[in-house]
Amino acid sequence: MRPTVSIVRCPNYNEEEVLRGLQQAIDLIGGIRSFVKRGDRVLLKPNLLSGKPPERAVTTHPSIIKGVIQMVKEEGGFPLLGDSPAMGSTTGAAEKSGIKRIADTLGCPIVEFNRPVVPAERKGRIFKNIEIDQAVFEADVIINLPKWKTHAQMLLTLGVKNLFGCIPGTRKALWHLKAGEDSRIFARMLVDIYQIVQPSLTILDGIVGMEGNGPGSGNPIPLGLILASRDPLCLDQVVCDLLGIPRKSLLTNRVAFEQGLGRDEIEVVGEEVEGVKIPSFEFPALSRIDWNLPGFIRKSLKNGLNPKPVVKKELCQLCNRCVEICPPKILKLNEEGPVFDYGKCIRCFCCQEVCPEGAISVQNGWALSLYHQIRGTKFGRSIPKGSIRNRFK
Ligand code: SF4
Ligand code: SF4
């Protein structure tokens, strides 16, 4: 059977419209009853990167959470919600993003991911000892609720990348370090996590997404879409189609294809891809040319090829978050802001992800900029906005 991805339009976060959109998207792939049975313990895994208000488009919107909790409860399931934000507690991030109020009102407990276990049964293909939170294995059903956003290291954060939050917060820096500087290795880790966690259902909040300097400081962009699938990998591939970029532009997709997990044939139901294609979208700066170069050339051209984090000193409030999160501990703060040691920086962009002021952005190396100019490729430059902002009004 061909894997299926549903696409439905949803113009805004009006709760009734969102509930209708969710029902439609899930009905198209079998209906909520095919996922949740009476008495099931259902773990909802949103994107709760940090405690930002919903209009910043950093987190999965509370209306999506509300609709999914309602649907789970109607089937007699017991929903609970868990994640591990980049910094701070899940409850704190849920409170600031408007999710806690919804969860409390509807009787959905919030779980802190702080119990790392190395699963005995389900193993990653490459990272055999990856640590996942115990809550994942206690659930009968996992519903993955990513947000459609750009990501400085991985290009986009969608269904597969959202599962990185199943690693308890305190351990994430360690796993970033293990992946090191090569984004392909990080992508392999993400694909391993996807295979271990095995969400039953993935629903993408693409009503308002994030473009540009994502995943924490980009610009909200109305997209007006909800996507759903049993397989987040297939869902991610369809998002690439909607954005008009090759499916393998997303490293997690590329790795999945290399491992025989990718699907060429995906059935799209609901809206047709051509009818809801995204006409313009601002991608982050991203390395795309060093894959096939010999190691010694890559090493000597490192600063020219690799994008790097840079700070706008006038925006920096000296909060120290970037210094705290940096996995290899190579950031220092002086009276003007963080100072980067680019020779030791692993380009994980955790600093950019957690900066509450949007003071850190990603800049292409000179060789990479030149390459993009010559090729006219989308990555690493702004695409002028088209008519997208008004297309669902
Ligand atoms: S996280 Fe941002 S605001 Fe805080 S010290 Fe770093 S650059 Fe400055
Ligand atoms: S400076 Fe930023 S990008 Fe570099 S290793 Fe530290 S957190 Fe990662």
Side-chain angles (χ1 to χ4, degrees), residues 311 315-322 333 338 354-357 359-360:
V311 65
L315 296 181
C316 176
Q317 297 297 313
L318 305 176
C319 73
N320 208 46
R321 283 181 171 218
C322 53
L333 200 66
V354 300
C355 176
E357 309 299 329
I360 299 180

Side-chain angles (χ1 to χ4, degrees), residues 309 322 325-328 330-331 340 344-352:
C322 53
I325 196 92
C326 177
I330 54 93
L331 265 182
F340 299 89
K344 294 182 181 156
C345 168
I346 61 170
R347 269 67 171 181
C348 62
F349 301 109
C350 293
C351 50
Q352 176 258 4

Side-chain angles (χ1 to χ4, degrees), residues 71 114 141 150 277 288:
M71 292 173 78
N114 53 17
V141 178
T150 47
K277 262 194 153 172
R288 274 289 176 275

Side-chain angles (χ1 to χ4, degrees), residues 174-222:
L174 175 80
W175 286 98
H176 261 298
L177 261 185
K178 285 192 193 244
E181 189 173 336
D182 190 335
S183 299
R184 286 169 300 184
I185 296 176
F186 188 56
R188 285 182 198 133
M189 183 183 290
L190 294 175
V191 171
D192 274 1
I193 295 170
Y194 149 78
Q195 290 184 279
I196 294 168
V197 175
Q198 299 175 7
S200 305
L201 170 62
T202 294
I203 305 167
L204 178 67
D205 174 3
I207 299 174
V208 176
M210 178 184 282
E211 61 177 350
N213 195 31
S217 310
N219 300 317
I221 175 169

Side-chain angles (χ1 to χ4, degrees), residues 194-256:
Y194 149 78
Q195 290 184 279
I196 294 168
V197 175
Q198 299 175 7
S200 305
L201 170 62
T202 294
I203 305 167
L204 178 67
D205 174 3
I207 299 174
V208 176
M210 178 184 282
E211 61 177 350
N213 195 31
S217 310
N219 300 317
I221 175 169
L223 303 164
L225 298 174
I226 295 174
L227 279 76
S229 180
R230 291 171 189 269
D231 187 343
L233 194 55
C234 295
L235 186 146
D236 291 0
Q237 288 176 228
V238 171
V239 172
C240 291
D241 298 347
L242 290 168
L243 286 166
I245 57 173
R247 289 178 173 178
K248 289 181 188 170
S249 306
L250 209 53
L251 278 181
T252 43
N253 286 345
R254 177 178 285 260
V255 165

